[in-house]
């Protein structure tokens, strides 16, 4: 990794940690430069503004996550034998993998912050850049759940997404036991969440 890329990565990593801890408004550029070991000029050079930095923190994680989701969905989309659990697996498992991959757990807290702080500009950025992913999943859910109205389906998908975000953030009361590996715990989480979500989506 060259020096410029290394500096940019350090800034993104420090920003992710600060946003998770202090929120977007609470994290100052002075705190960021101190945490990343860079000067303000480096932040401006690589990102131009704090808003753009926030967007790039999301882009670094979500590009990879959604590529994995879409690759998994492509394997099953439109097939007559595809089940609701298959689609939920394509949606849920890549996200749980991310939450246990390096700083993924921190990122999920950043994502939770984004919704809690009602940041309209960030929501617009996420919708414009990643809305197509949700639309593809929604279309597949709609194909498998023809009895649900569009409004009811949106409600249920929104609640499933909320449950997933909660599971990924690590804030839940069920924590990994010391004698259970990360891989096993992640698989248990995926299985429980897929069953829970499938039941909720199928409910009358």
């Amino acid at each position: 990794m060259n020096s410029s890329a290394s500096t940019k990565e350090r800034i993104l990593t420090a920003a992710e940690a600060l946003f998770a801890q202090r929120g977007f408004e609470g994290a100052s550029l002075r705190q960021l430069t101190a945490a990343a070991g860079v000067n303000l000029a480096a932040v401006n050079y690589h990102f131009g503004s704090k808003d753009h930095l926030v967007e790039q923190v999301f882009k670094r994680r979500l590009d990879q996550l959604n590529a994995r989701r879409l690759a998994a969905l492509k394997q099953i989309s439109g097939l007559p034998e595809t089940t609701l659990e298959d689609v939920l697996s394509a949606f849920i498992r890549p996200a749980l993998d991310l939450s246990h991959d390096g700083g993924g757990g921190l990122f999920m807290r950043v994502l939770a912050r984004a919704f809690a702080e009602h940041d309209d500009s960030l929501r617009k950025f996420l919708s414009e850049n990643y809305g197509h992913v949700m639309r593809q999943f929604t279309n597949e859910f709609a194909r498998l759940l023809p009895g649900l109205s569009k409004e009811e389906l949106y409600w249920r998908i929104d609640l499933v997404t909320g449950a997933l975000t909660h599971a990924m953030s690590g804030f839940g009361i069920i924590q990994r036991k010391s004698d259970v590996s990360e891989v096993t715990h992640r698989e248990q989480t995926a299985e429980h969440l897929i069953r829970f979500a499938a039941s909720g989506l199928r409910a009358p």
Side-chain angles (χ1 to χ4, degrees):
M1 184 179 292
N2 63 43
S3 177
S4 179
S6 177
T7 299
K8 183 176 183 180
E9 191 67 18
R10 281 209 320 277
I11 295 170
L12 287 170
T13 298
E16 186 175 71
L18 277 172
F19 294 152
Q21 180 183 14
R22 300 177 180 274
F24 304 110
E25 294 297 327
S28 70
L29 288 177
R30 177 177 294 180
Q31 292 167 337
L32 172 62
T33 54
V38 300
N39 57 35
L40 185 58
V43 177
N44 289 331
Y45 171 77
H46 286 288
F47 302 101
S49 68
K50 185 178 178 181
D51 285 345
H52 187 59
L53 171 61
V54 171
E55 292 173 358
Q56 291 304 304
V57 167
F58 279 87
K59 186 172 173 52
R60 180 173 68 152
R61 302 289 186 184
L62 292 180
D63 281 2
Q64 181 183 57
L65 167 60
N66 286 307
R68 292 177 179 177
R69 278 176 161 171
L70 290 176
L73 183 63
K74 184 178 180 181
Q75 299 297 316
I76 59 175
S77 182
L79 299 178
E81 65 270 25
T82 295
T83 66
L84 189 57
E85 285 80 3
D86 292 334
V87 182
L88 285 166
S89 180
F91 184 68
I92 287 170
R93 290 182 188 278
L96 290 177
D97 289 344
L98 169 65
S99 70
H100 291 81
D101 178 18
L106 272 179
F107 174 70
M108 295 322 301
R109 299 184 186 191
V110 175
L111 186 59
R113 288 273 194 182
F115 290 101
E117 294 185 14
H118 304 289
D119 188 318
D120 291 337
S121 63
L122 181 55
R123 287 188 177 189
K124 181 180 179 182
F125 168 80
L126 294 175
S127 177
E128 290 176 348
N129 286 272
Y130 304 107
H132 69 285
V133 178
M134 283 306 304
R135 284 192 292 274
Q136 290 189 46
F137 274 94
T138 299
N139 289 341
E140 192 64 13
F141 284 132
R143 182 179 75 86
L144 297 170
L145 298 164
L148 291 182
S149 68
K150 180 181 291 188
E151 180 180 5
E152 183 63 27
L153 180 60
Y154 284 176
W155 269 104
R156 297 186 188 195
I157 291 174
D158 195 47
L159 293 171
V160 169
T161 302
L164 173 59
T165 303
H166 180 74
M168 295 168 71
S169 70
F171 289 138
I173 61 173
I174 299 177
Q175 299 294 317
R176 181 175 66 87
K177 297 179 181 178
S178 59
D179 60 342
V180 176
S181 71
E182 283 282 358
V183 172
T184 299
H185 180 68
R186 186 162 67 246
E187 182 59 27
Q188 290 173 342
T189 303
E191 290 176 355
H192 279 84
L193 187 51
I194 288 168
R195 283 199 300 270
F196 175 79
S199 295
L201 288 170
R202 286 194 178 105

